[in-house]
Amino acid sequence: RLLIRQLKHSKLVFPIGSKCLSSQPTTKLFIDGKFVESKSSDWLDIHNPATNEVIARVPMATQEEMLAAVDSCSKAFDSWSQTSILVRQQVFLRYQQLIKDNIKELAKSITIEQGKTLADAEGDVFRGLQVVEHSCSVTSLMLGETLPSITKDMDTYTYRLPLGVCAGIAPFNFPAMIPLWMFPMGMVCGNTYLLKPSERVPGCAMLLAKFLQDAGAPDGTLNIIHGQHDAVNFICDNPSIKAISFVGSNQAGEYIYERGSKNGKRVQSNMGAKNHGVVMPDANKENTLNQLVGAAFGAAGQRCMALSTAILVGEARNWLPELVERTKALRVNAGDQPGADIGPLISPQARDRVCSLIQSGLDEGAKLLLDGRNVKVKGYENGNFVGPTIISNVTPEMKCYTEEIFGPVLVVLEADTLNDAISMVNSNPYGNGTAIFTTNGATARKYTHEVDVGQVGVNVPIPVPLPMFSFTGSRGSFRGDMNFYGKQGIQFYTQIKTVTSQWKAEDATLKSPAVTMPT
Ligand code: NAD
């Protein structure tokens, strides 16, 4: 509650001259370098997931406001794209320092709106910060190619050039990291950017915009609108927007990929997941069980790379009782409370959905080894808490296996052999992440080569690549051709221009027209 009071009085979370329409602070739009109050008549309440108290309101931006935002991006593109790459680099060098200096402030805003623990919220910011740091290497990353003397006096070279206005549509589960996957990479390449944060957690994005402005990004280079379907459709349809980065559920991501692509835009769509941890009987037991528990229940399971499914191979199935014991030690509490391991889910609807998926497993014959559905958190009785839950005897047809649960629930399957485990993972439609736990190099090698998943960990439970690589989810977890951040991120946000030039000496001038193809 102290945190709520502090944040309500923080200019940064609800920035710039708030003209409240009710007693709650309003989230501003960020248009042409100004934090402006929306004229919308359509607003949503933002709740603290630990208490369900309303802490702020967010507008569904009007068509005029969205048009003003995209116009501002278009105008700013003319000068930003022509600004020296060294100047753009300097903006992001200053930006990374401002994010570092304000990491605790950013984390607080995440915890109050999203619910995750403060320590985990700092991790959310930190992993986004790494992408900003990486974007500062733009002077190397954007280099083109050259091939001299492809014929006499003729050279060919390429430039990587920005696309124009790009847009990002973000989910609720990483309020800092995912917006930071988007606009820094896009902008450092010379694009201008229209961001639509998740309407459930917009506060952190507003802080990020404020720091970007403080870092020297010119007005109009980043604009922020808020909204739901209308805002998403606006982004998919507006002809000035050349590329869309989306992260979120399959339902939204597939729709945005189709609608945006039909309108001729580049779209990259990172979507849902069902990540399997394959536990071999030769694995280091202590390490493996601790890693499984951390990766299944951290952030209350609301991570696209949560290790939400375990496949115990052979004798490893006997480790279940110890897995349950370790999980029981996790503490469920509001994210700002000392010692909290698991915070609340984002909404009462999310909690009800998770509980009904747990029940569906039991109805279909699975076994409940640990039940978090009736957890009570003292002082936070109205929060959206679900305690850590483990369901065993799960089979691939069960709904708790086929659907992404996105809560603190570990479903456990068993396999007799490594081959059986691999075919189980490959039969699942998602391809975001997976991990194998083993002490045998040949087993690990076989798994990494044969498993059809875009990001694989060997004794690493959440193998999210650092930004010098790219985030390479595959199959049902991704649509598009170029992934987020790393070299692929630069490719996504740039187009190539190839120049072929000939500078002949005076005496080599053509004497007559050449009408045949040169051979
Ligand atoms: P979501 O799809 O509900 O929302 C994401 C964004 O899409 C929001 O900005 C929202 O306003 C918009 N949106 C929501 N429903 C829409 C619809 N029907 N049509 C058009 N737009 C819509 O996702 P969420 O609940 O905020 O986030 C959780 C999901 O995101 C999970 O499925 C998770 O796996 C996924 N996720 C994936 C990655 C990844 O990199 N693969 C990372 C984080 C989260």
Side-chain angles (χ1 to χ4, degrees):
R1 295 205 170 84
L2 179 65
L3 186 58
I4 297 171
R5 273 205 301 280
Q6 282 172 356
L7 287 170
K8 273 187 179 169
H9 292 109
S10 159
K11 277 196 199 121
L12 293 175
V13 174
F14 308 111
I16 317 302
S18 169
K19 191 184 82 184
C20 297
L21 298 177
S22 77
S23 57
Q24 296 305 335
T26 53
T27 311
K28 306 294 176 272
L29 304 168
F30 185 52
I31 300 181
D32 214 29
K34 290 174 201 67
F35 292 91
V36 292
E37 184 84 10
S38 173
K39 296 194 166 51
S40 180
S41 53
D42 192 5
W43 293 71
L44 291 180
D45 288 338
I46 300 168
H47 298 88
N48 174 350
T51 60
N52 273 311
E53 286 168 342
V54 177
I55 49 172
R57 307 166 75 223
V58 64
M60 305 295 100
T62 64
Q63 287 293 323
E64 293 72 39
E65 289 163 345
M66 294 192 284
L67 277 171
V70 88
D71 280 354
S72 164
C73 284
S74 297
K75 286 197 194 97
F77 178 73
D78 292 341
S79 52
W80 182 243
S81 58
Q82 298 301 317
T83 299
S84 156
I85 193 166
L86 299 176
V87 171
R88 298 202 304 258
Q89 183 189 40
Q90 286 300 321
V91 169
F92 284 92
L93 282 164
R94 288 192 292 272
Y95 192 41
Q96 58 82 29
Q97 188 59 48
L98 281 172
I99 294 174
K100 266 185 209 148
D101 293 346
N102 291 284
I103 197 162
K104 294 219 178 288
E105 196 68 30
L106 287 158
K108 275 186 202 168
S109 91
I110 293 173
T111 296
I112 194 164
E113 286 190 352
Q114 201 274 352
K116 64 177 72 176
T117 65
L118 280 170
D120 201 37
E122 281 193 35
D124 185 333
V125 181
F126 184 75
R127 295 306 295 259
L129 169 66
Q130 289 178 320
V131 178
V132 180
E133 289 171 341
H134 183 64
S135 75
C136 297
S137 312
V138 65
T139 41
S140 305
L141 295 169
M142 256 180 95
L143 285 174
E145 297 175 321
T146 60
L147 194 60
S149 303
I150 55 167
T151 188
K152 187 151 173 30
D153 302 326
M154 190 180 282
D155 310 310
T156 297
Y157 51 93
T158 64
Y159 296 120
R160 284 203 166 275
L161 298 170
L163 305 173
V165 181
C166 300
I169 301 170
F172 81 84
N173 65 329
F174 284 102
M177 180 183 82
I178 289 177
L180 290 174
W181 283 2
M182 295 174 170
F183 66 83
M185 295 292 289
M187 285 176 62
V188 84
C189 292
N191 301 287
T192 53
Y193 215 92
L194 180 67
L195 178 69
K196 192 203 86 63
S198 167
E199 65 280 15
R200 297 191 269 184
V201 293
C204 182
M206 302 315 290
L207 271 176
L208 290 172
K210 177 79 178 72
F211 297 139
L212 186 67
Q213 191 173 47
D214 293 347
D219 291 352
T221 50
L222 174 70
N223 284 272
I224 300 184
I225 57 171
H226 302 293
Q228 292 178 304
H229 299 82
D230 286 352
V232 166
N233 288 340
F234 174 85
I235 289 171
C236 291
D237 296 346
N238 186 287
S240 298
I241 295 171
K242 305 298 176 208
I244 304 173
S245 296
F246 169 82
V247 179
S249 65
N250 280 65
Q251 193 194 8
E254 289 169 17
Y255 170 79
I256 290 166
Y257 183 80
E258 267 174 43
R259 189 157 173 160
S261 307
K262 252 189 209 147
N263 285 322
K265 302 178 199 305
R266 284 188 185 181
V267 187
Q268 54 177 190
S269 218
N270 268 7
M271 302 180 293
K274 199 80 182 174
N275 307 309
H276 298 72
V278 172
V279 181
M280 300 302 292
D282 62 22
N284 175 328
K285 188 172 170 187
E286 177 75 10
N287 207 33
T288 302
L289 291 178
N290 286 334
Q291 287 186 314
L292 264 184
V293 172
F297 302 112
Q302 295 178 122
R303 290 179 181 145
C304 65
M305 288 290 277
L307 206 56
S308 56
T309 308
I311 303 182
L312 306 181
V313 179
E315 295 301 304
R317 67 189 83 199
N318 299 329
W319 299 0
L320 264 175
E322 270 193 66
L323 184 69
V324 174
E325 282 315 305
R326 272 161 215 253
T327 307
K328 278 183 186 164
L330 296 177
R331 283 155 300 180
V332 181
N333 209 337
D336 61 346
Q337 292 303 300
D341 294 308
I342 299 182
L345 294 176
I346 185 71
S347 64
Q349 295 76 9
R351 186 195 52 211
D352 292 348
R353 186 181 162 275
V354 168
C355 290
S356 85
L357 281 166
I358 296 170
Q359 187 58 42
S360 77
L362 306 190
D363 295 344
E364 291 181 277
K367 197 168 156 196
L368 194 56
L369 299 183
L370 188 61
D371 186 359
R373 288 176 294 177
N374 296 315
V375 73
K376 293 273 175 285
V377 179
K378 201 158 170 276
Y380 295 91
E381 286 76 10
N382 291 329
N384 312 316
F385 294 96
V386 176
T389 298
I390 299 181
I391 317 176
S392 68
N393 291 25
V394 173
T395 54
E397 318 71 55
M398 292 181 185
K399 198 171 166 199
C400 65
Y401 178 77
T402 55
E403 284 201 20
E404 180 183 34
I405 299 179
F406 225 55
V409 182
L410 178 67
V411 300
V412 183
L413 295 87
E414 292 176 9
D416 290 331
T417 65
L418 177 62
N419 280 334
D420 292 345
I422 292 172
S423 67
M424 240 181 235
V425 179
N426 289 351
S427 303
N428 188 286
Y430 293 110
N432 217 33
T434 184
I436 185 160
F437 300 93
T438 180
T439 49
N440 183 312
T443 301
R445 186 172 190 284
K446 178 180 165 70
Y447 190 74
T448 53
H449 281 252
E450 294 183 16
V451 78
D452 190 5
V453 172
Q455 305 178 102
V456 187
V458 176
N459 300 318
V460 174
I462 304 189
V464 175
L466 287 175
M468 58 292 283
F469 297 92
S470 298
F471 189 98
T472 55
S474 64
R475 296 198 284 136
S477 299
F478 180 69
R479 290 225 175 148
D481 305 302
M482 290 168 273
N483 295 107
F484 278 79
Y485 63 75
K487 287 193 192 109
Q488 294 201 34
I490 295 283
Q491 283 167 19
F492 181 77
Y493 286 123
T494 55
Q495 56 193 327
I496 294 179
K497 183 180 278 181
T498 308
V499 180
T500 302
S501 71
Q502 190 170 42
W503 293 100
K504 283 175 182 292
E506 195 58 31
D507 59 353
T509 301
L510 277 182
K511 300 288 182 294
S512 59
V515 290
T516 53
M517 296 276 281
T519 54

